[in-house]
Amino acid sequence: MAAMSTDVGMPPVLTPDEAERAVLLAAPRGYCAGVDRAVVTVEQALDLYGAPVYVRKQIVHNKHVVSDLEARGAVFVEEIEEVPTGATVVFSAHGVSPEVHREAAERDLKTIDATCPLVTKVHHEAKRFANDDYDILLIGHAGHEEVEGTAGEAPEHIQLVEGPADVEHIVVRDPAKVAWLSQTTLSVDETLETVAAIRERFPQLLDPPSDDICYATQNRQLAVKEIAGRSDLVIVVGSGNSSNSVRLVEVALEAGAGAAYRVDDASEIDDAWLDGVRTVSVTSGASVPEALVQGVLTLLAERGYPDAEAVHSAEESLIFALPKELRRDLKAAQQA
Ligand code: 2E7
Ligand code: F3S
């Protein structure tokens, strides 16, 4: 705790060590447009249809978001077969394969698709390349829901490439007809390396029509890079299964942070991390509610750190409309 002066009107008396401390707060951080839309979708669905509303997979990869929605009546399931026939199910922001749509139709489910529009864009690119009979190299992490959904659009054309080490093992039908796509939440720099390695093997490699790594991922990496070099410690708020949050830790370390850790919330901060630390930077993944970041700043203040200084490296103003199925039902309810 900072030592407080007892003289009314006097500034707090800081120890020499405390006077040299700083907290830098990355901006942008936290919720992106796709997460905001997905979380509001579940909230509005609960208000409109009443609980329970089923959600296939975590709506976004944040354990606090999921438990808050559970407390309001959302029921998270892993697979469509767990949803009762005829019930309402929301598809998560990470997207689903056509097979999941088929399974939902077979069970006569009412579906609301909260797939981020920037993921839907990658699905369209996959379908287009597949229709043109390209072999598609999808750069991404095995097992991630987004990769499963995108690969499911054209499984016979798509193969996963996790990084440069995979490139020598790629087998394609025609080296002149190869295209690449990526998961939206990868490290920008690592992906450039992977693409360079692929292009070395397949010089006629076709690029996606526009960036697949989304604006939010890029901006959060840029923001943490901007402050990492000045930071003895970077704290990234985000869950362990959140790809974009985990990438922020890696990017911070690459960009020169003394240390970088991911926490779900302030309670996971180990006081030993703060030993000898003057400058602490804080950021958060795209699925992280701002209240969790504020909790970290409160803890730092309790440990004698000053108010945070925001460091802005990009402005964001993107907003996505709610899924059309939900908008239609909301409108009908208003008119009734
Ligand atoms: C959807 C997509 O939920 P997240 O933590 O997901 P990642 O993909 O980073 O594990 O973050 C928001 C989000 C990011 N990408 C949601 Cl496709
Ligand atoms: Fe969409 Fe990117 Fe967010 S893909 S859900 S805008 S992290």
Side-chain angles (χ1 to χ4, degrees), residues 24-60:
L24 305 179
L25 186 56
R29 64 179 176 282
Y31 270 22
C32 60
V35 166
D36 191 55
R37 171 183 189 258
V39 173
V40 172
T41 294
V42 179
E43 290 170 348
Q44 298 255 9
L46 283 164
D47 288 348
L48 187 62
Y49 311 119
V53 165
Y54 292 84
V55 183
R56 181 187 177 274
K57 308 280 184 187
Q58 292 191 337
I59 185 73
V60 296

PDB file of all heavy atoms in Angstrom, residues 24-60:
ATOM      1  N   LEU A  24       0.941   0.796 -17.402  1.00  0.00           N
ATOM      2  CA  LEU A  24       0.526   1.156 -18.763  1.00  0.00           C
ATOM      3  C   LEU A  24      -0.646   0.253 -19.154  1.00  0.00           C
ATOM      4  O   LEU A  24      -0.611  -0.966 -18.933  1.00  0.00           O
ATOM      5  CB  LEU A  24       1.682   0.959 -19.753  1.00  0.00           C
ATOM      6  CG  LEU A  24       2.995   1.690 -19.432  1.00  0.00           C
ATOM      7  CD1 LEU A  24       4.051   1.370 -20.495  1.00  0.00           C
ATOM      8  CD2 LEU A  24       2.759   3.197 -19.332  1.00  0.00           C
ATOM      9  N   LEU A  25      -1.659   0.866 -19.724  1.00  0.00           N
ATOM     10  CA  LEU A  25      -2.875   0.127 -20.079  1.00  0.00           C
ATOM     11  C   LEU A  25      -3.029   0.164 -21.602  1.00  0.00           C
ATOM     12  O   LEU A  25      -3.203   1.237 -22.190  1.00  0.00           O
ATOM     13  CB  LEU A  25      -4.063   0.810 -19.392  1.00  0.00           C
ATOM     14  CG  LEU A  25      -5.422   0.152 -19.504  1.00  0.00           C
ATOM     15  CD1 LEU A  25      -5.399  -1.297 -19.009  1.00  0.00           C
ATOM     16  CD2 LEU A  25      -6.443   0.964 -18.694  1.00  0.00           C
ATOM     17  N   ALA A  26      -2.931  -1.003 -22.208  1.00  0.00           N
ATOM     18  CA  ALA A  26      -2.978  -1.062 -23.678  1.00  0.00           C
ATOM     19  C   ALA A  26      -4.362  -0.688 -24.195  1.00  0.00           C
ATOM     20  O   ALA A  26      -5.377  -1.056 -23.604  1.00  0.00           O
ATOM     21  CB  ALA A  26      -2.630  -2.476 -24.146  1.00  0.00           C
ATOM     22  N   ALA A  27      -4.388   0.029 -25.302  1.00  0.00           N
ATOM     23  CA  ALA A  27      -5.648   0.341 -25.982  1.00  0.00           C
ATOM     24  C   ALA A  27      -5.398   0.272 -27.491  1.00  0.00           C
ATOM     25  O   ALA A  27      -4.434   0.884 -27.956  1.00  0.00           O
ATOM     26  CB  ALA A  27      -6.139   1.730 -25.591  1.00  0.00           C
ATOM     27  N   PRO A  28      -6.220  -0.485 -28.238  1.00  0.00           N
ATOM     28  CA  PRO A  28      -7.398  -1.202 -27.758  1.00  0.00           C
ATOM     29  C   PRO A  28      -7.043  -2.525 -27.058  1.00  0.00           C
ATOM     30  O   PRO A  28      -5.979  -3.086 -27.246  1.00  0.00           O
ATOM     31  CB  PRO A  28      -8.190  -1.471 -29.029  1.00  0.00           C
ATOM     32  CG  PRO A  28      -7.209  -1.413 -30.138  1.00  0.00           C
ATOM     33  CD  PRO A  28      -6.065  -0.579 -29.688  1.00  0.00           C
ATOM     34  N   ARG A  29      -8.028  -2.963 -26.269  1.00  0.00           N
ATOM     35  CA  ARG A  29      -7.958  -4.252 -25.561  1.00  0.00           C
ATOM     36  C   ARG A  29      -9.416  -4.717 -25.412  1.00  0.00           C
ATOM     37  O   ARG A  29     -10.347  -3.958 -25.694  1.00  0.00           O
ATOM     38  CB  ARG A  29      -7.298  -4.079 -24.181  1.00  0.00           C
ATOM     39  CG  ARG A  29      -8.104  -3.208 -23.275  1.00  0.00           C
ATOM     40  CD  ARG A  29      -7.552  -2.983 -21.890  1.00  0.00           C
ATOM     41  NE  ARG A  29      -8.431  -2.039 -21.191  1.00  0.00           N
ATOM     42  CZ  ARG A  29      -8.433  -0.739 -21.363  1.00  0.00           C
ATOM     43  NH1 ARG A  29      -7.564  -0.184 -22.182  1.00  0.00           N
ATOM     44  NH2 ARG A  29      -9.303   0.035 -20.736  1.00  0.00           N
ATOM     45  N   GLY A  30      -9.573  -5.941 -24.907  1.00  0.00           N
ATOM     46  CA  GLY A  30     -10.911  -6.407 -24.549  1.00  0.00           C
ATOM     47  C   GLY A  30     -11.850  -6.613 -25.730  1.00  0.00           C
ATOM     48  O   GLY A  30     -11.402  -6.816 -26.870  1.00  0.00           O
ATOM     49  N   TYR A  31     -13.129  -6.548 -25.423  1.00  0.00           N
ATOM     50  CA  TYR A  31     -14.177  -6.940 -26.374  1.00  0.00           C
ATOM     51  C   TYR A  31     -13.981  -6.370 -27.786  1.00  0.00           C
ATOM     52  O   TYR A  31     -13.741  -5.173 -27.966  1.00  0.00           O
ATOM     53  CB  TYR A  31     -15.538  -6.434 -25.885  1.00  0.00           C
ATOM     54  CG  TYR A  31     -16.305  -7.390 -24.981  1.00  0.00           C
ATOM     55  CD1 TYR A  31     -15.657  -8.404 -24.271  1.00  0.00           C
ATOM     56  CD2 TYR A  31     -17.685  -7.260 -24.829  1.00  0.00           C
ATOM     57  CE1 TYR A  31     -16.372  -9.257 -23.441  1.00  0.00           C
ATOM     58  CE2 TYR A  31     -18.402  -8.108 -23.993  1.00  0.00           C
ATOM     59  CZ  TYR A  31     -17.737  -9.107 -23.308  1.00  0.00           C
ATOM     60  OH  TYR A  31     -18.450  -9.941 -22.485  1.00  0.00           O
ATOM     61  N   CYS A  32     -14.144  -7.263 -28.748  1.00  0.00           N
ATOM     62  CA  CYS A  32     -14.198  -6.855 -30.159  1.00  0.00           C
ATOM     63  C   CYS A  32     -15.669  -6.834 -30.567  1.00  0.00           C
ATOM     64  O   CYS A  32     -16.555  -7.244 -29.798  1.00  0.00           O
ATOM     65  CB  CYS A  32     -13.447  -7.883 -31.002  1.00  0.00           C
ATOM     66  SG  CYS A  32     -14.183  -9.527 -30.838  1.00  0.00           S
ATOM     67  N   ALA A  33     -15.905  -6.414 -31.805  1.00  0.00           N
ATOM     68  CA  ALA A  33     -17.291  -6.296 -32.272  1.00  0.00           C
ATOM     69  C   ALA A  33     -17.998  -7.659 -32.327  1.00  0.00           C
ATOM     70  O   ALA A  33     -19.193  -7.762 -32.029  1.00  0.00           O
ATOM     71  CB  ALA A  33     -17.308  -5.642 -33.654  1.00  0.00           C
ATOM     72  N   GLY A  34     -17.248  -8.700 -32.686  1.00  0.00           N
ATOM     73  CA  GLY A  34     -17.856 -10.031 -32.809  1.00  0.00           C
ATOM     74  C   GLY A  34     -18.231 -10.621 -31.459  1.00  0.00           C
ATOM     75  O   GLY A  34     -19.245 -11.325 -31.335  1.00  0.00           O
ATOM     76  N   VAL A  35     -17.430 -10.342 -30.445  1.00  0.00           N
ATOM     77  CA  VAL A  35     -17.728 -10.844 -29.100  1.00  0.00           C
ATOM     78  C   VAL A  35     -18.917 -10.088 -28.517  1.00  0.00           C
ATOM     79  O   VAL A  35     -19.849 -10.688 -27.947  1.00  0.00           O
ATOM     80  CB  VAL A  35     -16.484 -10.709 -28.178  1.00  0.00           C
ATOM     81  CG1 VAL A  35     -16.870 -10.886 -26.715  1.00  0.00           C
ATOM     82  CG2 VAL A  35     -15.428 -11.728 -28.589  1.00  0.00           C
ATOM     83  N   ASP A  36     -18.906  -8.795 -28.667  1.00  0.00           N
ATOM     84  CA  ASP A  36     -20.016  -8.001 -28.152  1.00  0.00           C
ATOM     85  C   ASP A  36     -21.333  -8.514 -28.748  1.00  0.00           C
ATOM     86  O   ASP A  36     -22.306  -8.758 -28.039  1.00  0.00           O
ATOM     87  CB  ASP A  36     -19.784  -6.525 -28.502  1.00  0.00           C
ATOM     88  CG  ASP A  36     -20.750  -5.635 -27.762  1.00  0.00           C
ATOM     89  OD1 ASP A  36     -20.784  -5.732 -26.524  1.00  0.00           O
ATOM     90  OD2 ASP A  36     -21.497  -4.890 -28.423  1.00  0.00           O
ATOM     91  N   ARG A  37     -21.327  -8.717 -30.058  1.00  0.00           N
ATOM     92  CA  ARG A  37     -22.528  -9.208 -30.741  1.00  0.00           C
ATOM     93  C   ARG A  37     -22.951 -10.581 -30.218  1.00  0.00           C
ATOM     94  O   ARG A  37     -24.139 -10.831 -29.983  1.00  0.00           O
ATOM     95  CB  ARG A  37     -22.222  -9.287 -32.238  1.00  0.00           C
ATOM     96  CG  ARG A  37     -23.264  -9.974 -33.098  1.00  0.00           C
ATOM     97  CD  ARG A  37     -22.713  -9.999 -34.506  1.00  0.00           C
ATOM     98  NE  ARG A  37     -23.665 -10.425 -35.495  1.00  0.00           N
ATOM     99  CZ  ARG A  37     -23.675 -11.654 -36.026  1.00  0.00           C
ATOM    100  NH1 ARG A  37     -22.821 -12.568 -35.606  1.00  0.00           N
ATOM    101  NH2 ARG A  37     -24.551 -11.951 -36.963  1.00  0.00           N
ATOM    102  N   ALA A  38     -21.975 -11.473 -30.009  1.00  0.00           N
ATOM    103  CA  ALA A  38     -22.308 -12.832 -29.583  1.00  0.00           C
ATOM    104  C   ALA A  38     -22.867 -12.841 -28.162  1.00  0.00           C
ATOM    105  O   ALA A  38     -23.849 -13.544 -27.868  1.00  0.00           O
ATOM    106  CB  ALA A  38     -21.059 -13.713 -29.680  1.00  0.00           C
ATOM    107  N   VAL A  39     -22.270 -12.065 -27.273  1.00  0.00           N
ATOM    108  CA  VAL A  39     -22.730 -12.049 -25.876  1.00  0.00           C
ATOM    109  C   VAL A  39     -24.121 -11.405 -25.799  1.00  0.00           C
ATOM    110  O   VAL A  39     -25.029 -11.930 -25.132  1.00  0.00           O
ATOM    111  CB  VAL A  39     -21.706 -11.315 -24.970  1.00  0.00           C
ATOM    112  CG1 VAL A  39     -22.244 -11.146 -23.564  1.00  0.00           C
ATOM    113  CG2 VAL A  39     -20.380 -12.081 -24.954  1.00  0.00           C
ATOM    114  N   VAL A  40     -24.298 -10.296 -26.527  1.00  0.00           N
ATOM    115  CA  VAL A  40     -25.615  -9.636 -26.528  1.00  0.00           C
ATOM    116  C   VAL A  40     -26.672 -10.571 -27.144  1.00  0.00           C
ATOM    117  O   VAL A  40     -27.826 -10.596 -26.708  1.00  0.00           O
ATOM    118  CB  VAL A  40     -25.554  -8.273 -27.271  1.00  0.00           C
ATOM    119  CG1 VAL A  40     -26.940  -7.681 -27.455  1.00  0.00           C
ATOM    120  CG2 VAL A  40     -24.654  -7.297 -26.510  1.00  0.00           C
ATOM    121  N   THR A  41     -26.265 -11.357 -28.120  1.00  0.00           N
ATOM    122  CA  THR A  41     -27.195 -12.318 -28.737  1.00  0.00           C
ATOM    123  C   THR A  41     -27.758 -13.273 -27.683  1.00  0.00           C
ATOM    124  O   THR A  41     -28.984 -13.485 -27.611  1.00  0.00           O
ATOM    125  CB  THR A  41     -26.487 -13.119 -29.857  1.00  0.00           C
ATOM    126  OG1 THR A  41     -26.158 -12.217 -30.901  1.00  0.00           O
ATOM    127  CG2 THR A  41     -27.350 -14.244 -30.392  1.00  0.00           C
ATOM    128  N   VAL A  42     -26.893 -13.830 -26.850  1.00  0.00           N
ATOM    129  CA  VAL A  42     -27.377 -14.773 -25.827  1.00  0.00           C
ATOM    130  C   VAL A  42     -28.244 -14.026 -24.803  1.00  0.00           C
ATOM    131  O   VAL A  42     -29.317 -14.517 -24.408  1.00  0.00           O
ATOM    132  CB  VAL A  42     -26.201 -15.513 -25.144  1.00  0.00           C
ATOM    133  CG1 VAL A  42     -26.714 -16.464 -24.068  1.00  0.00           C
ATOM    134  CG2 VAL A  42     -25.377 -16.280 -26.173  1.00  0.00           C
ATOM    135  N   GLU A  43     -27.811 -12.848 -24.406  1.00  0.00           N
ATOM    136  CA  GLU A  43     -28.594 -12.075 -23.420  1.00  0.00           C
ATOM    137  C   GLU A  43     -29.989 -11.760 -23.964  1.00  0.00           C
ATOM    138  O   GLU A  43     -31.002 -11.952 -23.274  1.00  0.00           O
ATOM    139  CB  GLU A  43     -27.867 -10.764 -23.086  1.00  0.00           C
ATOM    140  CG  GLU A  43     -26.603 -10.970 -22.275  1.00  0.00           C
ATOM    141  CD  GLU A  43     -25.751  -9.709 -22.154  1.00  0.00           C
ATOM    142  OE1 GLU A  43     -26.001  -8.720 -22.872  1.00  0.00           O
ATOM    143  OE2 GLU A  43     -24.822  -9.729 -21.338  1.00  0.00           O
ATOM    144  N   GLN A  44     -30.038 -11.301 -25.202  1.00  0.00           N
ATOM    145  CA  GLN A  44     -31.338 -10.934 -25.793  1.00  0.00           C
ATOM    146  C   GLN A  44     -32.201 -12.167 -26.032  1.00  0.00           C
ATOM    147  O   GLN A  44     -33.419 -12.114 -25.890  1.00  0.00           O
ATOM    148  CB  GLN A  44     -31.120 -10.202 -27.122  1.00  0.00           C
ATOM    149  CG  GLN A  44     -30.358  -8.915 -26.960  1.00  0.00           C
ATOM    150  CD  GLN A  44     -31.260  -7.700 -27.073  1.00  0.00           C
ATOM    151  OE1 GLN A  44     -32.471  -7.829 -27.110  1.00  0.00           O
ATOM    152  NE2 GLN A  44     -30.665  -6.525 -27.139  1.00  0.00           N
ATOM    153  N   ALA A  45     -31.558 -13.271 -26.400  1.00  0.00           N
ATOM    154  CA  ALA A  45     -32.321 -14.512 -26.614  1.00  0.00           C
ATOM    155  C   ALA A  45     -32.951 -14.955 -25.298  1.00  0.00           C
ATOM    156  O   ALA A  45     -34.112 -15.401 -25.264  1.00  0.00           O
ATOM    157  CB  ALA A  45     -31.409 -15.600 -27.184  1.00  0.00           C
ATOM    158  N   LEU A  46     -32.206 -14.818 -24.199  1.00  0.00           N
ATOM    159  CA  LEU A  46     -32.760 -15.177 -22.884  1.00  0.00           C
ATOM    160  C   LEU A  46     -33.941 -14.283 -22.538  1.00  0.00           C
ATOM    161  O   LEU A  46     -34.977 -14.758 -22.043  1.00  0.00           O
ATOM    162  CB  LEU A  46     -31.670 -15.058 -21.807  1.00  0.00           C
ATOM    163  CG  LEU A  46     -30.650 -16.202 -21.768  1.00  0.00           C
ATOM    164  CD1 LEU A  46     -29.418 -15.807 -20.962  1.00  0.00           C
ATOM    165  CD2 LEU A  46     -31.299 -17.472 -21.192  1.00  0.00           C
ATOM    166  N   ASP A  47     -33.805 -12.980 -22.802  1.00  0.00           N
ATOM    167  CA  ASP A  47     -34.898 -12.047 -22.500  1.00  0.00           C
ATOM    168  C   ASP A  47     -36.130 -12.351 -23.355  1.00  0.00           C
ATOM    169  O   ASP A  47     -37.257 -12.310 -22.876  1.00  0.00           O
ATOM    170  CB  ASP A  47     -34.468 -10.589 -22.786  1.00  0.00           C
ATOM    171  CG  ASP A  47     -33.469 -10.099 -21.749  1.00  0.00           C
ATOM    172  OD1 ASP A  47     -33.302 -10.781 -20.716  1.00  0.00           O
ATOM    173  OD2 ASP A  47     -32.853  -9.043 -21.983  1.00  0.00           O
ATOM    174  N   LEU A  48     -35.879 -12.666 -24.628  1.00  0.00           N
ATOM    175  CA  LEU A  48     -36.991 -12.830 -25.562  1.00  0.00           C
ATOM    176  C   LEU A  48     -37.697 -14.178 -25.432  1.00  0.00           C
ATOM    177  O   LEU A  48     -38.923 -14.236 -25.375  1.00  0.00           O
ATOM    178  CB  LEU A  48     -36.449 -12.649 -26.994  1.00  0.00           C
ATOM    179  CG  LEU A  48     -37.453 -12.622 -28.125  1.00  0.00           C
ATOM    180  CD1 LEU A  48     -38.412 -11.437 -27.975  1.00  0.00           C
ATOM    181  CD2 LEU A  48     -36.742 -12.518 -29.473  1.00  0.00           C
ATOM    182  N   TYR A  49     -36.911 -15.255 -25.400  1.00  0.00           N
ATOM    183  CA  TYR A  49     -37.525 -16.590 -25.401  1.00  0.00           C
ATOM    184  C   TYR A  49     -37.656 -17.163 -23.991  1.00  0.00           C
ATOM    185  O   TYR A  49     -38.379 -18.121 -23.781  1.00  0.00           O
ATOM    186  CB  TYR A  49     -36.706 -17.580 -26.246  1.00  0.00           C
ATOM    187  CG  TYR A  49     -36.328 -17.066 -27.622  1.00  0.00           C
ATOM    188  CD1 TYR A  49     -34.989 -16.928 -27.991  1.00  0.00           C
ATOM    189  CD2 TYR A  49     -37.296 -16.719 -28.567  1.00  0.00           C
ATOM    190  CE1 TYR A  49     -34.628 -16.474 -29.251  1.00  0.00           C
ATOM    191  CE2 TYR A  49     -36.934 -16.257 -29.825  1.00  0.00           C
ATOM    192  CZ  TYR A  49     -35.608 -16.134 -30.155  1.00  0.00           C
ATOM    193  OH  TYR A  49     -35.255 -15.668 -31.395  1.00  0.00           O
ATOM    194  N   GLY A  50     -36.904 -16.610 -23.030  1.00  0.00           N
ATOM    195  CA  GLY A  50     -36.877 -17.167 -21.677  1.00  0.00           C
ATOM    196  C   GLY A  50     -35.889 -18.325 -21.580  1.00  0.00           C
ATOM    197  O   GLY A  50     -35.532 -18.926 -22.596  1.00  0.00           O
ATOM    198  N   ALA A  51     -35.453 -18.627 -20.349  1.00  0.00           N
ATOM    199  CA  ALA A  51     -34.513 -19.739 -20.145  1.00  0.00           C
ATOM    200  C   ALA A  51     -35.262 -21.066 -20.270  1.00  0.00           C
ATOM    201  O   ALA A  51     -36.466 -21.108 -20.007  1.00  0.00           O
ATOM    202  CB  ALA A  51     -33.878 -19.613 -18.753  1.00  0.00           C
ATOM    203  N   PRO A  52     -34.589 -22.144 -20.640  1.00  0.00           N
ATOM    204  CA  PRO A  52     -33.186 -22.153 -21.029  1.00  0.00           C
ATOM    205  C   PRO A  52     -32.995 -21.805 -22.506  1.00  0.00           C
ATOM    206  O   PRO A  52     -33.855 -22.112 -23.331  1.00  0.00           O
ATOM    207  CB  PRO A  52     -32.776 -23.605 -20.785  1.00  0.00           C
ATOM    208  CG  PRO A  52     -34.026 -24.390 -21.072  1.00  0.00           C
ATOM    209  CD  PRO A  52     -35.180 -23.512 -20.664  1.00  0.00           C
ATOM    210  N   VAL A  53     -31.884 -21.167 -22.803  1.00  0.00           N
ATOM    211  CA  VAL A  53     -31.428 -21.032 -24.188  1.00  0.00           C
ATOM    212  C   VAL A  53     -30.144 -21.850 -24.266  1.00  0.00           C
ATOM    213  O   VAL A  53     -29.250 -21.690 -23.431  1.00  0.00           O
ATOM    214  CB  VAL A  53     -31.155 -19.551 -24.546  1.00  0.00           C
ATOM    215  CG1 VAL A  53     -30.353 -19.437 -25.838  1.00  0.00           C
ATOM    216  CG2 VAL A  53     -32.470 -18.775 -24.669  1.00  0.00           C
ATOM    217  N   TYR A  54     -30.106 -22.773 -25.211  1.00  0.00           N
ATOM    218  CA  TYR A  54     -28.917 -23.619 -25.360  1.00  0.00           C
ATOM    219  C   TYR A  54     -27.881 -22.896 -26.217  1.00  0.00           C
ATOM    220  O   TYR A  54     -28.222 -22.139 -27.122  1.00  0.00           O
ATOM    221  CB  TYR A  54     -29.305 -24.967 -26.003  1.00  0.00           C
ATOM    222  CG  TYR A  54     -30.150 -25.784 -25.049  1.00  0.00           C
ATOM    223  CD1 TYR A  54     -31.538 -25.578 -24.961  1.00  0.00           C
ATOM    224  CD2 TYR A  54     -29.553 -26.695 -24.188  1.00  0.00           C
ATOM    225  CE1 TYR A  54     -32.301 -26.288 -24.048  1.00  0.00           C
ATOM    226  CE2 TYR A  54     -30.325 -27.411 -23.272  1.00  0.00           C
ATOM    227  CZ  TYR A  54     -31.683 -27.201 -23.212  1.00  0.00           C
ATOM    228  OH  TYR A  54     -32.433 -27.891 -22.303  1.00  0.00           O
ATOM    229  N   VAL A  55     -26.623 -23.114 -25.875  1.00  0.00           N
ATOM    230  CA  VAL A  55     -25.522 -22.530 -26.657  1.00  0.00           C
ATOM    231  C   VAL A  55     -24.548 -23.652 -26.961  1.00  0.00           C
ATOM    232  O   VAL A  55     -24.103 -24.365 -26.047  1.00  0.00           O
ATOM    233  CB  VAL A  55     -24.785 -21.407 -25.879  1.00  0.00           C
ATOM    234  CG1 VAL A  55     -23.705 -20.765 -26.751  1.00  0.00           C
ATOM    235  CG2 VAL A  55     -25.769 -20.356 -25.372  1.00  0.00           C
ATOM    236  N   ARG A  56     -24.259 -23.845 -28.271  1.00  0.00           N
ATOM    237  CA  ARG A  56     -23.295 -24.898 -28.634  1.00  0.00           C
ATOM    238  C   ARG A  56     -21.882 -24.351 -28.447  1.00  0.00           C
ATOM    239  O   ARG A  56     -21.518 -23.376 -29.076  1.00  0.00           O
ATOM    240  CB  ARG A  56     -23.495 -25.350 -30.080  1.00  0.00           C
ATOM    241  CG  ARG A  56     -22.524 -26.467 -30.466  1.00  0.00           C
ATOM    242  CD  ARG A  56     -22.600 -26.794 -31.940  1.00  0.00           C
ATOM    243  NE  ARG A  56     -21.623 -27.805 -32.295  1.00  0.00           N
ATOM    244  CZ  ARG A  56     -20.358 -27.542 -32.607  1.00  0.00           C
ATOM    245  NH1 ARG A  56     -19.915 -26.298 -32.608  1.00  0.00           N
ATOM    246  NH2 ARG A  56     -19.534 -28.529 -32.926  1.00  0.00           N
ATOM    247  N   LYS A  57     -21.131 -24.988 -27.562  1.00  0.00           N
ATOM    248  CA  LYS A  57     -19.763 -24.586 -27.173  1.00  0.00           C
ATOM    249  C   LYS A  57     -19.823 -23.260 -26.403  1.00  0.00           C
ATOM    250  O   LYS A  57     -20.855 -22.600 -26.353  1.00  0.00           O
ATOM    251  CB  LYS A  57     -18.828 -24.445 -28.390  1.00  0.00           C
ATOM    252  CG  LYS A  57     -18.797 -25.633 -29.318  1.00  0.00           C
ATOM    253  CD  LYS A  57     -17.908 -26.736 -28.807  1.00  0.00           C
ATOM    254  CE  LYS A  57     -17.825 -27.867 -29.824  1.00  0.00           C
ATOM    255  NZ  LYS A  57     -17.096 -29.036 -29.304  1.00  0.00           N
ATOM    256  N   GLN A  58     -18.673 -22.866 -25.857  1.00  0.00           N
ATOM    257  CA  GLN A  58     -18.622 -21.575 -25.146  1.00  0.00           C
ATOM    258  C   GLN A  58     -18.903 -20.469 -26.163  1.00  0.00           C
ATOM    259  O   GLN A  58     -18.277 -20.439 -27.228  1.00  0.00           O
ATOM    260  CB  GLN A  58     -17.233 -21.366 -24.550  1.00  0.00           C
ATOM    261  CG  GLN A  58     -16.910 -22.317 -23.421  1.00  0.00           C
ATOM    262  CD  GLN A  58     -15.639 -21.910 -22.693  1.00  0.00           C
ATOM    263  OE1 GLN A  58     -14.787 -21.228 -23.227  1.00  0.00           O
ATOM    264  NE2 GLN A  58     -15.521 -22.360 -21.456  1.00  0.00           N
ATOM    265  N   ILE A  59     -19.795 -19.563 -25.827  1.00  0.00           N
ATOM    266  CA  ILE A  59     -20.161 -18.506 -26.790  1.00  0.00           C
ATOM    267  C   ILE A  59     -18.920 -17.721 -27.201  1.00  0.00           C
ATOM    268  O   ILE A  59     -18.734 -17.369 -28.366  1.00  0.00           O
ATOM    269  CB  ILE A  59     -21.283 -17.590 -26.219  1.00  0.00           C
ATOM    270  CG1 ILE A  59     -21.752 -16.586 -27.260  1.00  0.00           C
ATOM    271  CG2 ILE A  59     -20.867 -16.888 -24.918  1.00  0.00           C
ATOM    272  CD1 ILE A  59     -22.574 -17.165 -28.361  1.00  0.00           C
ATOM    273  N   VAL A  60     -18.061 -17.418 -26.237  1.00  0.00           N
ATOM    274  CA  VAL A  60     -16.692 -16.923 -26.481  1.00  0.00           C
ATOM    275  C   VAL A  60     -15.822 -17.615 -25.434  1.00  0.00           C
ATOM    276  O   VAL A  60     -16.337 -18.137 -24.442  1.00  0.00           O
ATOM    277  CB  VAL A  60     -16.579 -15.376 -26.358  1.00  0.00           C
ATOM    278  CG1 VAL A  60     -17.424 -14.686 -27.424  1.00  0.00           C
ATOM    279  CG2 VAL A  60     -16.965 -14.869 -24.973  1.00  0.00           C
TER     280      VAL A  60
END
